[in-house]
PDB file of all heavy atoms in Angstrom:
ATOM      1  N   PRO A  85     -44.285 -10.803  -1.187  1.00  0.00           N
ATOM      2  CA  PRO A  85     -44.152  -9.341  -1.159  1.00  0.00           C
ATOM      3  C   PRO A  85     -43.773  -8.842   0.227  1.00  0.00           C
ATOM      4  O   PRO A  85     -44.182  -9.431   1.233  1.00  0.00           O
ATOM      5  CB  PRO A  85     -45.550  -8.861  -1.567  1.00  0.00           C
ATOM      6  CG  PRO A  85     -46.457  -9.959  -1.144  1.00  0.00           C
ATOM      7  CD  PRO A  85     -45.676 -11.237  -1.279  1.00  0.00           C
ATOM      8  N   ASP A  86     -43.005  -7.772   0.259  1.00  0.00           N
ATOM      9  CA  ASP A  86     -42.699  -7.161   1.557  1.00  0.00           C
ATOM     10  C   ASP A  86     -43.438  -5.842   1.732  1.00  0.00           C
ATOM     11  O   ASP A  86     -43.204  -5.114   2.688  1.00  0.00           O
ATOM     12  CB  ASP A  86     -41.190  -6.936   1.706  1.00  0.00           C
ATOM     13  CG  ASP A  86     -40.605  -6.054   0.613  1.00  0.00           C
ATOM     14  OD1 ASP A  86     -41.399  -5.474  -0.178  1.00  0.00           O
ATOM     15  OD2 ASP A  86     -39.368  -5.933   0.542  1.00  0.00           O
ATOM     16  N   SER A  87     -44.361  -5.565   0.809  1.00  0.00           N
ATOM     17  CA  SER A  87     -45.048  -4.285   0.822  1.00  0.00           C
ATOM     18  C   SER A  87     -46.433  -4.355   1.447  1.00  0.00           C
ATOM     19  O   SER A  87     -47.121  -3.346   1.544  1.00  0.00           O
ATOM     20  CB  SER A  87     -45.185  -3.756  -0.614  1.00  0.00           C
ATOM     21  OG  SER A  87     -45.882  -4.681  -1.425  1.00  0.00           O
ATOM     22  N   VAL A  88     -46.866  -5.538   1.866  1.00  0.00           N
ATOM     23  CA  VAL A  88     -48.176  -5.659   2.491  1.00  0.00           C
ATOM     24  C   VAL A  88     -48.000  -6.154   3.918  1.00  0.00           C
ATOM     25  O   VAL A  88     -46.990  -6.770   4.263  1.00  0.00           O
ATOM     26  CB  VAL A  88     -49.096  -6.620   1.705  1.00  0.00           C
ATOM     27  CG1 VAL A  88     -49.389  -6.074   0.338  1.00  0.00           C
ATOM     28  CG2 VAL A  88     -48.503  -8.010   1.617  1.00  0.00           C
ATOM     29  N   ASP A  89     -48.997  -5.881   4.737  1.00  0.00           N
ATOM     30  CA  ASP A  89     -48.912  -6.191   6.156  1.00  0.00           C
ATOM     31  C   ASP A  89     -49.363  -7.632   6.394  1.00  0.00           C
ATOM     32  O   ASP A  89     -50.520  -7.905   6.711  1.00  0.00           O
ATOM     33  CB  ASP A  89     -49.796  -5.223   6.948  1.00  0.00           C
ATOM     34  CG  ASP A  89     -49.537  -5.298   8.449  1.00  0.00           C
ATOM     35  OD1 ASP A  89     -48.515  -5.894   8.842  1.00  0.00           O
ATOM     36  OD2 ASP A  89     -50.349  -4.760   9.212  1.00  0.00           O
ATOM     37  N   LEU A  90     -48.422  -8.566   6.193  1.00  0.00           N
ATOM     38  CA  LEU A  90     -48.720  -9.972   6.427  1.00  0.00           C
ATOM     39  C   LEU A  90     -47.484 -10.664   6.973  1.00  0.00           C
ATOM     40  O   LEU A  90     -46.377 -10.144   6.923  1.00  0.00           O
ATOM     41  CB  LEU A  90     -49.223 -10.654   5.157  1.00  0.00           C
ATOM     42  CG  LEU A  90     -48.353 -10.654   3.895  1.00  0.00           C
ATOM     43  CD1 LEU A  90     -47.284 -11.739   3.938  1.00  0.00           C
ATOM     44  CD2 LEU A  90     -49.219 -10.873   2.667  1.00  0.00           C
ATOM     45  N   ILE A  91     -47.701 -11.840   7.492  1.00  0.00           N
ATOM     46  CA  ILE A  91     -46.608 -12.650   8.027  1.00  0.00           C
ATOM     47  C   ILE A  91     -46.624 -13.989   7.309  1.00  0.00           C
ATOM     48  O   ILE A  91     -47.657 -14.654   7.242  1.00  0.00           O
ATOM     49  CB  ILE A  91     -46.754 -12.868   9.550  1.00  0.00           C
ATOM     50  CG1 ILE A  91     -46.712 -11.527  10.297  1.00  0.00           C
ATOM     51  CG2 ILE A  91     -45.655 -13.793  10.067  1.00  0.00           C
ATOM     52  CD1 ILE A  91     -47.032 -11.647  11.778  1.00  0.00           C
ATOM     53  N   VAL A  92     -45.499 -14.381   6.753  1.00  0.00           N
ATOM     54  CA  VAL A  92     -45.361 -15.683   6.108  1.00  0.00           C
ATOM     55  C   VAL A  92     -44.197 -16.409   6.755  1.00  0.00           C
ATOM     56  O   VAL A  92     -43.104 -15.860   6.883  1.00  0.00           O
ATOM     57  CB  VAL A  92     -45.129 -15.552   4.589  1.00  0.00           C
ATOM     58  CG1 VAL A  92     -44.946 -16.921   3.967  1.00  0.00           C
ATOM     59  CG2 VAL A  92     -46.283 -14.822   3.926  1.00  0.00           C
ATOM     60  N   GLY A  93     -44.416 -17.628   7.164  1.00  0.00           N
ATOM     61  CA  GLY A  93     -43.342 -18.394   7.771  1.00  0.00           C
ATOM     62  C   GLY A  93     -43.677 -19.857   7.833  1.00  0.00           C
ATOM     63  O   GLY A  93     -44.609 -20.324   7.184  1.00  0.00           O
ATOM     64  N   CYS A  94     -42.908 -20.592   8.609  1.00  0.00           N
ATOM     65  CA  CYS A  94     -43.142 -22.024   8.784  1.00  0.00           C
ATOM     66  C   CYS A  94     -43.137 -22.347  10.268  1.00  0.00           C
ATOM     67  O   CYS A  94     -42.436 -21.717  11.057  1.00  0.00           O
ATOM     68  CB  CYS A  94     -42.058 -22.842   8.077  1.00  0.00           C
ATOM     69  SG  CYS A  94     -42.188 -22.828   6.281  1.00  0.00           S
TER      70      CYS A  94
END
Side-chain angles (χ1 to χ4, degrees):
D86 58 9
S87 58
V88 296
D89 192 14
L90 58 81
I91 299 172
V92 178
C94 288

